Amino acid sequence: MSFASLGLSAPILQAVAEQDYDTPTAIQAQAIPEVLNARDVMAAAQTGTGKTAAFVLPILELLSKGQAAKSNQVRALVLTPTRELAAQINDSVSTYGKHLPLRTAVVFGGVKINPQMMKLRKGVDILIATPGRLLDLYSKNAVKFSQLQILVLDEADRMLDMGFINDIQRVLKVLPQQRQNLMFSATFSDQIRKLAKGLVHNPVEISVDPRITTVETVEHWICPVDKKQKPALLAQLIIDNDWQQVLVFVRTRIGANRLTRHLETRGINATAIHGNKSQAVRTKALADFKKGSIQVLVATDIAARGLDIEQLPQVVNFDLPHVPEDYIHRIGRTGRAGLSGQAISLVSADEFKQLSEIERLIKQLLPRKLIAGFEPGHNLPESKLDRRPFKLKKPKKPGKTGQRAKKNPVAHKPQKNRKPRRKPTGH
Ligand code: AMP
């Protein structure tokens, strides 16, 4: 199958060809014709499947035909949970839309609102936004939706996890009823389906991989090690294997800072990204990492969510995630779109329960490798595969979600803990 056969026109096909994409990925092949047919879509797809182009390409196609956005108006709105993901989608829109005369903008919290208001003044065809900042802009009359044709909810599961449900509902209330809706989520829990009910109409359901499984091109294994030895082991692995570009996941921002300092003492060029760092610092760190001037990027889950770093060869879980699904999101950063990658988890005896949950979720035991000089004193018990089907956790109660969001703060705080907003005006 070719991109041309999907019904995309020359300026878009040219941009796709310039990216050296030969064939559409599964999600693209299924979603693009449906979106072009003006259908609502509910798609289960993880990052790394090519899902961004699956909605961006047909949206560009549809918007290239209609009337340009008028002052302060938006024709397609993409809601995303984090500013990094928003910036990344914006890059994709610019890349795929570079031969089209469409205007795009990205808005998120943590940076000045005025330049965003200026940008919106002329109207934008595609706006990528995190929910809270969008509502702020709406309450200032900086953005209007009477021309809105298409809404995309990206990473809907993560949005709910991060406590954005109220913000999303508020946004939905101010959008025109008549619109096309596209919803993307790695998983489709009951809570996501509930949200979808009030959102998508008679949707085409697409699932490129309905079960949660690990990306096949990733070779993943674990290193049993004592907790205290983890920083030294990581430094040694990086030095011995001459890893040039490593994304390291840690659970807490304090842990991220501490590990970064340790790596630096070993002469390894490392930077941490987490919610406590300013937007400018995070953006720069990511750009430096992408272009190879930072060797090791140490990140918390939320800071790293959805990051698209091309051809990332190496992912390390310095701590195992508490939520087993996050293991898949994390290793999804490597081996993307057919490239091979390696994911290594440093696992201490106290993480045995998390390890077992992950193995149950991915339905396989992770191979173990001991590294000479780092054999653990605290034994990591042998795992046995628990073959009971993995039940995705019930959606968290608001209080709990709040705690999690607090642990991994992002610049834009979920709406729920704030005072109710002034009722938006101007609609
Ligand atoms: P996503 O799942 O949207 O985060 O995309 C994952 C990666 O796949 C990105 O680096 C894209 O540039 C790449 N990609 C998207 N579509 C294709 C394609 N048809 N062929 C090859 N790579 C692709």
Side-chain angles (χ1 to χ4, degrees):
M1 179 180 291
S2 67
F3 278 99
S5 68
L6 294 176
L8 300 167
S9 55
I12 297 174
L13 293 175
Q14 191 185 338
V16 166
E18 284 162 11
Q19 291 304 300
D20 288 329
Y21 301 166
D22 302 330
T23 34
T25 63
I27 182 82
Q28 291 161 3
Q30 292 178 64
I32 292 173
E34 301 293 356
V35 180
L36 291 177
N37 267 337
R39 291 289 303 268
D40 277 12
V41 169
M42 238 170 100
Q46 301 162 20
T47 36
T49 53
K51 71 182 168 73
T52 315
F55 64 82
V56 171
L57 298 178
I59 288 177
L60 289 169
E61 182 71 39
L62 292 172
L63 296 185
S64 69
K65 289 179 184 130
Q67 211 185 33
K70 299 206 173 104
S71 179
N72 292 100
Q73 297 286 348
V74 171
R75 298 169 67 205
L77 171 65
V78 182
L79 286 179
T80 76
T82 66
R83 48 199 179 178
E84 276 84 3
L85 190 60
Q88 212 161 274
I89 295 171
N90 189 47
D91 289 347
S92 296
V93 171
S94 307
T95 304
Y96 304 138
K98 71 175 173 201
H99 304 300
L100 290 169
L102 295 172
R103 293 174 52 82
T104 67
V106 59
V107 295
F108 43 69
V111 293
K112 283 190 191 136
I113 200 165
N114 276 7
Q116 298 179 349
M117 293 174 73
M118 297 288 284
K119 187 108 202 238
L120 289 168
R121 205 169 279 170
K122 288 188 195 147
V124 296
D125 298 292
I126 304 184
L127 178 65
I128 301 116
T130 52
R133 177 53 61 96
L134 182 73
L135 287 165
D136 286 341
L137 286 160
Y138 184 77
S139 70
K140 290 179 190 302
N141 271 330
V143 59
K144 296 177 180 166
F145 296 115
S146 44
Q147 251 188 293
L148 188 101
Q149 290 168 242
I150 307 167
L151 169 71
V152 181
L153 214 59
D154 193 25
E155 309 227 338
D157 49 345
R158 188 52 54 141
M159 293 234 229
L160 296 191
D161 264 4
M162 288 170 67
F164 282 128
I165 185 71
N166 292 342
D167 279 356
I168 294 172
Q169 301 290 12
R170 276 191 177 83
V171 172
L172 293 182
K173 278 204 190 104
V174 300
L175 300 183
Q177 290 286 316
Q178 264 298 358
R179 54 168 205 262
Q180 188 177 2
N181 300 289
L182 316 176
M183 191 167 163
F184 289 77
S185 191
T187 54
F188 270 87
S189 61
D190 291 350
Q191 204 193 9
I192 295 281
R193 289 195 175 273
K194 202 170 133 205
L195 172 68
K197 255 197 186 145
L199 182 75
V200 289
H201 305 290
N202 185 23
V204 179
E205 291 198 25
I206 297 173
S207 176
V208 280
D209 188 359
R211 291 162 303 114
I212 299 183
T213 49
T214 40
V215 187
E216 273 153 20
T217 48
V218 180
E219 183 194 342
H220 44 142
W221 46 278
I222 66 168
C223 256
V225 62
D226 284 342
K227 204 170 203 67
K228 280 200 175 137
Q229 290 294 318
K230 283 188 180 186
L233 172 58
L234 177 62
Q236 177 143 337
L237 284 169
I238 292 170
I239 294 166
D240 287 356
N241 296 294
D242 196 23
W243 288 339
Q244 289 306 318
Q245 200 183 30
V246 196
L247 179 58
V248 180
F249 285 97
V250 292
R251 233 174 12 234
T252 66
R253 48 180 201 269
I254 295 170
N257 288 338
R258 196 183 296 142
L259 177 61
T260 305
R261 283 197 299 273
H262 177 88
L263 295 175
E264 279 168 347
T265 61
R266 299 283 304 267
I268 297 164
N269 181 1
T271 297
I273 57 165
H274 50 65
N276 258 19
K277 300 253 173 173
S278 75
Q279 175 59 26
V281 169
R282 287 161 72 172
T283 308
K284 180 161 187 318
L286 185 60
D288 288 348
F289 183 61
K290 280 188 176 184
K291 67 172 194 258
S293 54
I294 288 177
Q295 189 181 357
V296 182
L297 191 65
V298 181
T300 54
D301 279 304
I302 286 185
R305 172 78 182 171
L307 294 186
D308 178 24
I309 300 147
E310 279 177 43
Q311 308 186 12
L312 187 64
Q314 207 67 54
V315 166
V316 175
N317 291 314
F318 185 82
D319 303 308
L320 282 185
H322 270 308
V323 182
E325 294 92 308
D326 278 345
Y327 178 81
I328 292 164
H329 295 313
R330 287 178 177 191
I331 73 162
R333 251 121 291 273
T334 183
R336 324 197 80 204
L339 298 160
S340 66
Q342 189 178 214
I344 299 168
S345 304
L346 312 187
V347 185
S348 48
D350 60 308
E351 292 173 305
F352 180 67
K353 191 165 164 266
Q354 284 124 271
L355 174 66
S356 304
E357 293 242 290
I358 290 166
E359 292 181 323
R360 179 174 169 200
L361 174 69
I362 64 174
K363 301 189 177 69
Q364 68 180 89
L365 292 180
L366 287 165
R368 299 177 175 212
K369 280 189 203 169
L370 287 174
I371 305 293
F374 290 94
E375 296 86 353
H378 301 279
N379 186 37
L380 181 67
E382 282 304 315
S383 329
K384 261 204 233 131
L385 197 57
D386 181 345
R387 293 191 185 277
R388 286 173 301 161
F390 190 88
K391 247 182 109 192
L392 290 171
K393 287 216 166 61
K394 278 261 175 259
K396 294 173 192 79
K397 296 251 156 50
K400 282 203 177 142
T401 320
Q403 276 169 17
R404 178 170 176 187
K406 235 186 197 166
K407 258 195 226 159
N408 297 293
V410 281
H412 167 62
K413 298 219 178 61
Q415 172 70 20
K416 142 186 65 50
N417 293 332
R418 296 195 214 149
K419 285 199 186 119
R421 261 167 222 282
R422 182 159 55 88
K423 250 212 159 90
T425 51
H427 185 70

